[in-house]
Every structure is written in C-alpha cells, then in structure tokens.
Amino acid sequence: MKSSVIIFPGSNCDRDMDVALNKYGFKNQMVWHNDQFIPKSDLIVLPGGFSYGDYLRCGSIASKSKIIKSVVDFANSGGLVLGICNGFQILTETGLLPGILLQNKYLNFICKNVFVKVKDKKNKYFKNLKKDILELHIAHNEGNFFCTQQELKALEDNNQIAITYCDSDGLENNENNPNGAIKNIAGIFNKNKNVLGMMPHPERMIDNYLSGEDGSLFFENLLGNLR
Amino acid sequence: MKIKVIVTLKNGVLDPQGKAIQQTLNGMNFNSVTEVRQGKFFEINVNEDNETKAKLNVEEMCKKLLANLVIEDYKII
C-alpha cells in the first residue's frame, strides 16, 4: 500500500507520520506543497504542524496551495485523505470537511494525552478496530470544533462524527472536553467517509516505551482494511 | 486604489481573546466595558480605477480567503 504525506512550510509532524506509516507497512513518499501532482497513492495524509505560521486562520493559506487541487480531486474520486491536527484544519478550509477549528475555549495551548471514543466503525479507518476507546496525544491551540446547527445535524444524521473526547471509561462530558469542541468532537468524516480529519496524533503513540501503542492499533488496522 | 476590509466573528461565536481583553479592561477599572469582540482589519491595494469593480473583486477575496463564512462576517469600507 502506498501513502503520501504532504509537506507545507511549517509542517512539523510530517516525519513522525512518515515513520509511523513505514513502520506499519505503507510505502510512504513525501510530497512538497508546491508540486502539482501526487504520486499514485492509496492514502494521502495532511500532517500536523503550523502551516504558514497559522497566518490569517489555521490552515487557510495551505488550503489554497498548488497541491491541494490534486488532494481534492483524489478525495472526490473516493481516495482516502487523512488530516491530523493542522491537517484537519486544512481540510475544513478546503471545504472537504464541514465546520472549523476555533481557538481553544480557555486560550491555552493543550499538550497532553486524552481518551477518544470511536463513534463509527462502518468506514475504512476504524472497521475491525479491536478497541472502542483509544488513548492518543493532542497538541494544539485551535482544536475547538465549531459548525452551524444544520451542519451538526447533518454530521449526526449521517454518522459522520468519527471520534469524541471522553474519559478512560468512555464517558463524554464537559470535564473530558479539553478545548470546548461542540459535542466533544475530536474528529469527523466527510459524507462518504473517505476523508477523516482529527485533532489527536496517532503517529505519536506508536512506541511501547515512549508513549502507548493505541496509535499502532490505528495504523495496523487501517493497513489491514486497505489490503 | 486602496480598499479596506473588516472581518469580525459572527454573533454567537465564542471569542475567548475578546473575553480576555474585556476582563483585563475591567481589571484596569474600565468598569463600563461589558463586551469586547476582536476582529481583523485589511488594507488591500488593487490596480483598478473603477471603485465598484475593485470592491466586487475584493468581495470575491473575502468569500474565498479573507473570511471563513462559517464563523465570520466581512465588511468592505
């Protein structure tokens, strides 16, 4: 399986993602934002970081870069596009995903482990995943998911909410909501569920000694679903 | 021609920076301040003599890049 990680000026999780994808059997290639075409891929990843220094709005400048047209075409033809953190912000700015990530409710940069509940498994990302609750890492200043009431209703009606913040038992409430996101939303799909944007970083949870391995579960499972 | 644009958060959208500024102003004894909303201001030089055309052009810019219409309104002045 081939994957491509797009690098924008200011991306800083691109290499971690490269390590994670290669570790679990993807043949990954790095693609520069100013290229026009993406090499043949089964998965495109928009990594975390601070593309263009978060100028204007997070992800807004990156969403107009040269490579994005190819990403949008790939997504519209059913290809898998995964956006992590800043990648999620970029996906909302391209319009591939609804809503927007606002500044965290309490104005602080949050960097910690959280638990998230997998809300939908009828998709290529989470199908067959052994766990329902994952421990993953978040590191962001703008992770407060916001959308209009109509958009929220559409997300709920079509089961597009992918993961929500919760505690280790799966309880979703205000206390377990780190950034003020509507309905504790940590990640969403597009309607066809081939595009996934999420704030947590699975690529940071792939080493038993350094972190935890719930990220490993995610990548192994994803690769299994694509084979 | 110079066109000015103000982008503000829509009513009802959380503005934690505005809130922090308001609380600071209250703490500085500006007690009459009940709310602060923070926005963005742009000055755009366009190579165009016709003001209507220039503003139409800037309106496109607002819709496509300068503002995110999910959370923001724009005003061209």
Side-chain angles (χ1 to χ4, degrees):
Chain A
M1 288 293 147
K2 287 183 179 162
S3 58
S4 294
V5 172
I6 316 283
I7 311 172
F8 301 95
S11 295
N12 65 7
C13 301
D14 45 322
R15 288 180 184 218
D16 296 34
M17 185 54 80
D18 181 50
V19 169
L21 290 167
N22 283 316
K23 182 172 178 180
Y24 295 105
F26 283 92
K27 196 171 173 324
N28 187 54
Q29 52 224 325
M30 308 302 273
V31 180
W32 185 235
H33 70 102
N34 215 20
D35 290 353
Q36 197 173 349
F37 300 109
I38 297 168
K40 196 176 173 325
S41 307
D42 302 289
L43 170 74
I44 294 176
V45 182
L46 305 185
F50 300 85
S51 58
Y52 295 90
D54 283 347
Y55 291 171
L56 191 62
R57 292 177 309 277
C58 300
S60 64
I61 310 277
S63 76
K64 311 294 179 213
S65 56
K66 203 170 174 187
I67 196 75
I68 287 296
K69 196 184 171 297
S70 294
V71 176
V72 172
D73 289 346
F74 181 79
N76 287 339
S77 65
L80 293 196
V81 178
L82 170 64
I84 304 293
C85 199
N86 188 227
F88 184 9
Q89 294 162 343
I90 295 169
L91 286 174
T92 63
E93 286 285 346
T94 60
L96 283 173
L97 292 177
I100 187 169
L101 284 309
L102 294 177
Q103 189 167 32
N104 297 338
K105 191 174 175 187
Y106 302 109
L107 286 174
N108 47 353
F109 185 95
I110 306 168
C111 182
K112 64 175 186 179
N113 286 2
V114 293
F115 291 98
V116 294
K117 188 191 260 185
V118 178
K119 303 291 276 189
D120 185 278
K121 288 194 177 177
K122 289 182 185 157
N123 59 75
K124 290 239 166 88
Y125 295 94
F126 297 112
K127 193 175 86 183
N128 301 324
L129 191 72
K130 286 182 201 110
K131 283 187 174 180
D132 293 328
I133 296 161
L134 299 175
E135 184 179 10
L136 295 175
H137 192 78
I138 54 169
H140 59 245
N141 195 52
E142 283 85 4
N144 178 355
F145 182 77
F146 179 88
C147 62
T148 62
Q149 283 303 314
Q150 295 101 294
E151 284 171 331
L152 181 62
K153 193 174 176 307
L155 286 176
E156 287 177 323
D157 290 350
N158 303 323
N159 297 319
Q160 284 173 255
I161 299 176
I163 49 173
T164 52
Y165 300 107
C166 63
D167 68 5
S168 56
D169 296 322
L171 183 69
E172 302 151 90
N173 59 20
N174 272 344
E175 243 170 75
N176 305 312
N177 185 343
N179 51 29
I182 289 185
K183 299 265 178 184
N184 284 36
I185 288 174
I188 57 169
F189 299 109
N190 66 340
K191 233 179 191 170
N192 294 329
K193 298 191 182 172
N194 58 314
V195 179
L196 168 64
M198 59 196 249
M199 291 315 294
H201 291 265
E203 78 279 12
R204 293 191 186 181
M205 302 298 266
I206 59 162
D207 189 295
N208 196 25
Y209 294 105
L210 290 177
S211 50
E213 288 213 279
D214 283 2
S216 310
L217 287 180
F218 174 78
F219 288 110
E220 278 171 338
N221 185 63
L222 174 57
L223 187 71
N225 288 342
L226 289 179
R227 270 187 179 137
Chain B
M1 176 177 293
K2 191 181 274 181
I3 308 283
K4 295 173 181 176
V5 177
I6 293 178
V7 173
T8 49
L9 283 175
K10 286 186 171 159
N11 281 337
V13 176
L14 185 75
D15 179 9
Q17 288 190 83
K19 185 90 185 149
I21 295 165
Q22 179 220 323
Q23 286 169 351
T24 306
L25 287 170
N26 291 153
M28 293 163 74
N29 288 327
F30 292 107
N31 295 319
S32 58
V33 178
T34 54
E35 191 184 20
V36 176
R37 304 283 285 170
Q38 185 177 309
K40 293 170 189 154
F41 175 70
F42 302 86
E43 279 184 348
I44 303 171
N45 275 315
V46 280
N47 196 5
E48 171 68 67
D49 298 328
N50 181 323
E51 189 178 337
T52 316
K53 269 191 188 168
K55 286 193 171 172
L56 275 174
N57 202 2
V58 169
E59 178 147 19
E60 278 299 294
M61 297 176 204
C62 289
K63 287 181 187 161
K64 287 184 176 166
L65 181 67
L66 301 182
N68 183 315
L69 301 181
V70 179
I71 50 161
E72 292 169 327
D73 290 322
Y74 60 86
K75 202 185 282 175
I76 299 167
I77 49 175

